[in-house]
């Protein structure tokens, strides 16, 4: 500990948007191993759940995580400050995104997923791809990582549902338009399950291979529980060890959407509990 | 001349009443009092050629520790056990003694065998509660060894190596040490406090335990060697749950036994919402399988408030691999058994509504010696349920084999080892479920013990490869 920092110490904290926070966390072991597309499992208190968070960036000694405060654990995490320690952090988990020079790629990110998309887009750019990116959110305040994405993209499109920034509409509206020109060799999408579903539906019509990063409920993150199983090509797969990246055209998104709602009631209950 | 009075029956184990215990997660078996333990110990014939020792995978000197209990020297009894077994409070609770030491007990030929497991548990609990634990910490001078995983195989291997004078570090991927003892076996059968106390004992021998590090991802075995570890023991367990591969198995409300038990045991979902991890069982639960894990899951489901819990098994009661004692406990608590039934489909839309099964009959014995179940045509029936737990076994986690070159792997994904735990790669040893597929806690401990000896020979003498 030459730097005087302790493992899992928060060294930077920023609010990127209302309820979206960025933290740089000191953990050299995880940071040195990280490859784009991988995630960590965190737990913030003795009573806490284990939840997966995608890594947005890393240097030699720290990783960057970006999360939206939507549940008990992310809310508690958001209350931690610089100098505090995240109780448990395990990683890097999952298979890294497969990076090579495909030619012209389209990187699509929605909401907080843009942060997880960023290292993938960056690696694709470094591998020699022409990178066209489309990022979107509900409204302009929720657009994050715009500058980062701009740096690693040849073109960047922004959409908001309410038209407060960029084009009014969804990322898929831009995608549809760009697909008309048949320019993409591959598409990468990270964001809410419903966005990845629609992206996959759209690219399927043009038969452009699409890689999505799935976000089911997980516990251990190491293949032990099978709670994160998703159906890909009719076969059950464990997102934590077989993924999180899968071919979007083969994913049963309705199944994923249904499983994400499995504990909706309990999630509300635990938020209300003291 | 005095004639010896033979007490034919063992002293019964005090237990929580079924009607009470199905409403709590407290331990079912309460343990012997000192008087009960001494009385049971007095039944032991103190055979010179003690067969019971041959039945113990770690070779505990059973007659001697029982003699100490009979004499009231309880701390000497524990010391004797710990010469061979560093986790006696755990083994006394979860070992299948009826198939091991107790099976070979001479008393058992005509009457009930000595309750060796209960006596072991008594001695270990007595020491723990007395607070006078006997410990000599390792000098650490003999060399550095890394153990992967912190379940029974690694804990035993690490403890034995520490006792020999090694500097041992255990790497665990979860946030607490103990492996299957923490995430798999329920509180009411093996209290987590007991596990953590025995983990503390292993630490007090000088063993270091690092949690939140997954070997194969956070660090690799090659990197451990580069950091100066002279040998690595892999005890990473059988982590990957098996599913049946039937339609509907990924509906909401279908759990692998691993997920179900991890939520409850490791994450304490039974204390939701104080603990934040949820679980949902509904009113009727179907547990598929006939092993100890199925019994654990069924009994957990009852305690979570299920009104009816069914164990669905494709063979009959006699063929169930679960321990007799656990089956009896489950029956007493009201678990219902649906034998000769094979699930073919999980029904429901979004959520589970039922389980469609086929009736089975038994045909010729298969390769395991058990009669092979054969479906009876058109015998389909539907078991209505709100959740399903699939408890049909696990396979080894492929993470370490995938990230370690030179490890020979068997067809089921298990790491291949010789009888002393040596893998195909120099300096790398393995034991427990990662090598054998699912077995028992004590079998894993035996493997950890043999590997510790082989590791000592390898580091001191350079032999083994």
């Amino acid at each position: 500990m030459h730097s005087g920092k302790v493992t899992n110490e928060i060294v930077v904290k920023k609010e990127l948007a209302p309820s979206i926070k960025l933290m740089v966390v000191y953990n050299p072991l995880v940071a040195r191993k990280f490859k784009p597309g991988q995630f960590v499992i965190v737990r913030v208190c003795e009573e806490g759940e284990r939840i997966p968070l995608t890594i947005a960036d890393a240097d030699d000694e720290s990783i960057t995580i970006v999360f939206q405060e939507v549940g008990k654990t992310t809310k508690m995490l958001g209350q931690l400050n610089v100098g505090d320690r995240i109780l448990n952090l395990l990683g890097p988990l999952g298979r890294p995104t497969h990076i090579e020079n495909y030619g012209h790629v389209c990187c699509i990110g929605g909401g907080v997923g843009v942060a997880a998309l960023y290292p993938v887009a960056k690696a694709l750019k470094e591998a020699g791809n022409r990178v066209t990116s489309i990022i979107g959110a509900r409204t302009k305040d929720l657009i994050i990582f715009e500058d980062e994405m701009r740096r690693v993209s040849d073109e960047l499109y922004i959409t908001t549902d309410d038209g407060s920034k960029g084009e009014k509409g969804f990322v898929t509206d831009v995608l549809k338009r760009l697909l008309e020109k048949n320019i993409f060799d591959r598409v990468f999408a990270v964001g809410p399950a419903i966005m990845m579903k629609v992206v996959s539906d759209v690219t399927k019509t043009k038969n452009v291979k699409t890689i999505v990063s799935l976000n089911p409920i997980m516990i251990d993150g190491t293949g032990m529980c099978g709670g994160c199983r998703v159906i890909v090509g009719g076969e059950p797969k464990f997102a934590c060890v077989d993924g999180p990246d899968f071919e979007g055209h083969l994913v049963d998104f309705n199944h994923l959407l249904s499983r994400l709602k499995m504990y909706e009631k309990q999630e509300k209950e635990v938020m209300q509990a003291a | 001349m005095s004639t010896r009075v033979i007490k034919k029956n063992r002293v019964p184990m005090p237990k929580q009443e079924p009607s009470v215990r199905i409403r709590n997660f407290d331990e079912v078996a309460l343990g012997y009092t000192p008087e009960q333990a001494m009385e049971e110990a007095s039944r032991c014939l103190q055979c010179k050629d003690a067969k019971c020792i041959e039945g113990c995978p770690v070779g505990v000197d059973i007659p001697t520790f029982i003699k100490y209990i009979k004499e009231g020297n309880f701390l000497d009894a524990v010391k004797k056990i710990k010469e061979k077994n560093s986790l006696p409070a755990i083994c006394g609770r979860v070992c299948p003694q009826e198939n091991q030491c107790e099976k070979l007990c001479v008393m058992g030929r005509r009457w009930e065998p000595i309750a060796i497991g209960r006596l072991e548990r008594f001695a270990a609990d007595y020491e723990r509660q007395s607070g006078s634990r006997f410990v000599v910490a390792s000098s650490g001078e003999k060399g550095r060894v890394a153990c992967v995983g912190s379940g029974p195989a690694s804990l035993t291997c690490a403890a034995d190596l520490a006792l020999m004078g090694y500097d041992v570090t255990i790497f665990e991927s979860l946030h607490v040490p103990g492996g299957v003892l923490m995430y798999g076996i329920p509180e009411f059968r093996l209290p987590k406090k007991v596990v953590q106390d025995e983990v503390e004992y292993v630490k007090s021998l000088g063993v270091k335990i690092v949690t939140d590090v997954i070997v194969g991802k956070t660090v690799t075995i090659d990197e451990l060697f580069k950091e100066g570890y002279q040998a690595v023991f892999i005890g990473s367990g059988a982590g990957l749950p098996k599913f049946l591969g039937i339609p509907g198995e990924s509906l909401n409300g279908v759990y692998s036994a691993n997920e179900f038990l991890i939520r409850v045991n490791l994450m304490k979902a039974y204390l939701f919402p104080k603990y934040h991890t949820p679980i949902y069982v509904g009113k009727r639960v179907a547990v598929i399988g006939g092993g100890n894990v199925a019994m654990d899951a069924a009994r957990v489901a009852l305690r979570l408030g299920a009104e009816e819990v069914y164990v669905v098994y494709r063979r009959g009661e006699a063929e169930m691999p679960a321990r007799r004692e656990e089956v009896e406990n489950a029956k007493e608590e009201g678990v219902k058994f649906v034998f000769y039934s094979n699930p073919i489909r999980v029904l429901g839309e979004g959520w589970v509504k039922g389980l469609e099964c086929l009736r089975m009959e038994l045909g010729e014995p298969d390769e395991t010696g058990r009669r092979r179940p054969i479906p009876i045509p058109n015998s389909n029936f539907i078991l209505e349920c709100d959740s399903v737990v699939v408890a049909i076994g696990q396979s080894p986690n492929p993470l370490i084999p995938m990230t370690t070159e030179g490890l020979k792997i068997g067809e089921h994904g298990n790491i291949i080892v010789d009888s002393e735990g040596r893998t195909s790669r120099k300096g790398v040893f393995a034991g427990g479920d990662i090598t054998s597929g699912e077995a028992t806690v004590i079998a894993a401990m035996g493997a950890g013990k043999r590997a510790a000896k082989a590791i000592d020979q390898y580091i001191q003498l350079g032999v083994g490869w």
Side-chain angles (χ1 to χ4, degrees), chain B residues 17 51 89 110 119 139 148 190 225 275 361 410 426 434 451:
Chain B
E17 284 300 316
K51 295 287 175 208
R110 289 190 60 186
L119 291 174
S139 66
V148 181
L190 179 63
F225 280 116
Y275 282 74
E361 57 190 354
K426 195 177 173 185
I434 186 73

Side-chain angles (χ1 to χ4, degrees), chain B residues 182-426:
Chain B
M182 289 303 286
Y183 74 75
I185 304 175
E187 179 75 20
F188 54 81
R189 213 149 69 72
L190 179 63
K192 301 309 143 211
K193 172 90 175 67
V194 171
V195 178
Q196 288 312 310
D197 277 345
E198 299 223 312
V199 168
E200 281 307 315
Y201 168 70
V202 174
K203 282 161 82 174
S204 71
L205 300 174
V207 173
K208 295 185 267 295
I209 302 184
V210 183
T211 55
D212 296 317
V213 167
I214 180 161
V215 175
K217 287 279 185 189
T218 320
V219 290
T220 62
I221 285 180
D222 293 292
E223 287 164 338
L224 291 175
F225 280 116
K226 272 184 219 146
E227 280 176 34
Y229 291 99
Q230 292 156 276
V232 176
F233 174 79
I234 306 169
S236 53
L240 227 54
K242 286 183 191 160
F243 286 94
L244 290 154
I246 59 175
E249 213 170 7
S250 288
L251 283 170
N252 286 352
V254 182
Y255 296 95
S256 73
N258 259 10
E259 180 184 358
F260 190 72
L261 294 173
I262 286 173
R263 282 182 181 273
V264 174
N265 301 331
L266 179 72
M267 306 309 296
K268 302 198 189 300
Y270 65 95
L271 299 174
F272 182 89
K274 181 172 185 285
Y275 282 74
H276 307 162
T277 303
I279 190 140
Y280 177 84
V281 291
K283 287 187 177 158
R284 294 155 73 103
V285 184
V287 178
I288 303 168
N292 287 323
V293 175
M295 298 308 118
D296 283 347
R299 298 172 67 195
V300 163
L302 275 180
R303 284 161 175 78
L304 290 172
E307 288 166 14
E308 300 206 36
V309 178
Y310 306 100
V311 167
V312 181
Y313 183 53
R314 60 199 185 124
R315 293 178 163 104
E317 180 160 5
E319 286 81 19
M320 273 204 298
R323 284 182 78 184
R324 204 60 245 155
E325 188 185 329
E326 300 309 327
V327 178
E328 287 310 317
N329 278 330
K331 279 187 176 170
E332 275 177 24
E333 291 171 10
V335 171
K336 297 184 172 70
F337 289 82
V338 184
F339 291 118
Y340 303 106
S341 299
N342 197 33
I344 55 167
R345 192 155 57 118
V346 186
L347 306 167
E349 281 170 40
W351 269 99
V352 172
K353 287 206 181 93
L355 188 63
E356 184 176 345
C357 304
L358 267 181
R359 294 267 178 223
M360 310 294 276
E361 57 190 354
L362 292 184
E364 296 298 309
D366 63 10
E367 63 278 5
T368 67
R370 290 182 301 176
R371 291 173 68 193
R372 191 190 300 273
I374 303 166
I376 302 170
N378 304 317
S379 63
N380 304 43
F381 68 99
I382 290 168
L383 199 61
E384 283 181 29
C385 55
D386 307 302
S387 57
V388 171
V389 181
V390 183
I392 57 163
Q394 296 152 59
S395 47
N397 197 315
L399 197 56
I400 289 170
M402 263 166 41
T403 54
T404 313
E405 275 190 38
L407 273 189
K408 215 170 148 195
I409 306 302
E411 57 177 322
H412 301 293
N414 52 308
I415 298 177
I416 293 178
V417 289
D418 68 10
S419 58
E420 311 307 308
R422 298 179 194 97
T423 69
S424 55
R425 183 162 164 188
K426 195 177 173 185

Side-chain angles (χ1 to χ4, degrees), chain A residues 5 7-9 11 23-36 38-40 55-65 89-93 119 122, chain B residues 212-213 217-219 223:
Chain A
K5 288 182 283 238
T7 305
N8 301 344
E9 183 177 328
V11 289
M23 283 177 178
V24 178
V25 184
Y26 179 79
N27 189 318
L29 284 179
V30 177
R32 282 166 206 166
K33 279 288 160 65
F34 161 73
K35 292 204 172 71
Q38 290 188 298
F39 63 93
V40 290
I55 302 171
D57 208 351
D59 58 22
D60 279 348
E61 56 178 37
S62 305
I63 60 164
T64 301
I65 51 174
L89 186 149
L90 173 71
L93 300 170
K122 185 171 148 195
Chain B
D212 296 317
V213 167
K217 287 279 185 189
T218 320
V219 290
E223 287 164 338

